[in-house]
Amino acid sequence: MKFAKMTEVAHYAPSQVITNDDLAEIMDTNDEWISSRTGIKSRHITYDENTSDLCIKIVKSLLEKSNYSPESIDFLIVATISPDSLMPTTATITQGKTGLVNAFAFDMQAACSGFVYALSLGEKLIASGRYQRGIIIGAETHSKTLDWNDRSTAVLFGDGAGGVLLEAATSQHFLAEKLQADGIKGTALASKSFYPKSPYSKKFEHNEKLLMDGRSVFDFAVREVPQNILATLELAGIEPNEIDYYLPHQANIRIIDKWPKKLKVDRDKFLVNLEHYGNTSAASIPILLSEAIESGTLSFGSGQTVLMTGFGGGLTWGSLIIKL
Ligand code: B82
């Protein structure tokens, strides 16, 4: 039996910080409205960097921290819904510019669940025994896809990236997982759509911008996701309170605030940083993990048990229980 473990983590966000007050200068909104409904105070917004530029920072940082050569990396997965282009992928652009000459690379698209899906897949690649070392990144530059005239969505999102180095291990670190999807409810959270538009095709209705049925996705996050967490805990044979820290996708503080009661665990076990980043979709969980490692709240090799939960467009959602 082969195993995988995370051995390093890194995060990066563009240096430009845009506060709620800054947004109030360009659209009809205010700090009280945004922070009371979302918990967000500021977000990082890229000035001259694209998603691959953020990913390059993460790869370089992981290589520096681990002292591994670029040639020693077997694969790179980038989870993103704001790629530089559909082709080439953000992962291959990053791979080319960081000298990961022996790595295969591809993008994973599972919205705000992207990092959890990609980390799960990376673990399987290593557990197969075929690959020894990989990098999993969640990265977004949402600012380039937002409708800056739509105050209901433009205030919610931010840019940033986080990633982990995944390596072969001699003992089990990934204890349980449950990944889910429900395409029937997919229209509740949808971005710009693509449809045939050739001279030979019928005219399709399509949306040009992000659509979010807030109430419906909020109810989904509050009702369904804790059930997924409980099911994952049951698979691991672990009680909710035995988890040292929960690392939830940072969509909205009101969602996270409802979970401790549902799971009957202390609110302090839920790590939160959305105040400073907004919703960074696939990047939110690795940024959260990286900050927790940096602050000493978590450390690799400590034996602490964490539960990561992603949930978002698709709809997709899922949890991983990992022993650090
Ligand atoms: S909201 O609908 O406007 N609302 C909840 C009733 C405000 C209190 C809202 C806002 Br504002 C921001 C985010 C959400 C939300 O529910 N988001 C998500 C839910 C499930 C999956 C992903 C997300 C996400 O935003 O990434 C609701």
Side-chain angles (χ1 to χ4, degrees), residues 37-38 112 212 214-215 217-218 249 251-252 254-255 279 311-312:
R37 278 168 187 78
T38 69
C112 307
M212 184 168 90
R215 181 44 73 179
V217 286
F218 184 82
H249 163 54
N252 185 307
R254 292 203 191 175
I255 296 172
N279 182 343
F311 51 98

Side-chain angles (χ1 to χ4, degrees), residues 180-190 213 216 220 312-317:
Q180 296 185 250
D182 183 0
I184 302 289
K185 296 199 192 118
T187 50
L189 191 51
D213 177 351
S216 149
F220 151 74
L315 298 176
T316 54
W317 66 108

Side-chain angles (χ1 to χ4, degrees), residues 71-217:
E71 297 82 13
S72 73
I73 304 298
D74 297 325
F75 61 86
L76 168 66
I77 309 177
V78 173
T80 185
I81 48 169
S82 49
D84 292 22
S85 50
L86 289 179
M87 185 172 71
T89 62
T90 304
T92 55
I93 296 168
T94 305
Q95 180 258 355
K97 290 185 176 173
T98 53
L100 307 187
V101 290
N102 295 312
F104 64 93
F106 63 96
D107 286 1
M108 147 86 68
Q109 221 264 46
C112 307
S113 311
F115 182 76
V116 165
Y117 269 47
L119 187 55
S120 162
L121 183 59
E123 186 241 344
K124 308 300 172 294
L125 290 171
I126 289 178
S128 74
R130 199 170 290 260
Y131 306 103
Q132 298 298 308
R133 198 173 286 162
I135 290 176
I136 312 292
I137 296 176
E140 307 287 2
T141 49
H142 280 313
S143 56
K144 71 188 179 194
T145 64
L146 290 170
D147 176 356
W148 287 94
N149 295 312
D150 180 1
R151 64 176 177 169
S152 68
T153 53
V155 303
L156 303 178
F157 296 90
D159 301 337
V164 297
L165 183 68
L166 205 57
E167 294 189 72
T170 50
S171 60
Q172 189 175 8
H173 291 260
F174 285 73
L175 305 184
E177 68 174 51
K178 188 170 172 65
L179 307 183
Q180 296 185 250
D182 183 0
I184 302 289
K185 296 199 192 118
T187 50
L189 191 51
S191 59
K192 176 182 162 68
S193 54
F194 302 99
Y195 277 102
K197 56 172 185 186
S198 78
Y200 312 104
S201 314
K202 81 163 200 174
K203 262 201 173 341
F204 285 87
E205 287 294 315
H206 65 281
N207 53 296
E208 280 294 331
K209 57 178 204 170
L210 182 77
L211 297 176
M212 184 168 90
D213 177 351
R215 181 44 73 179
S216 149
V217 286

Side-chain angles (χ1 to χ4, degrees), residues 279-304:
N279 182 343
T280 57
S281 293
S284 73
I285 294 175
I287 294 174
L288 194 64
L289 174 69
S290 182
E291 288 197 331
I293 296 273
E294 235 172 49
S295 70
T297 304
L298 296 175
S299 53
F300 294 125
S302 63
Q304 289 167 305

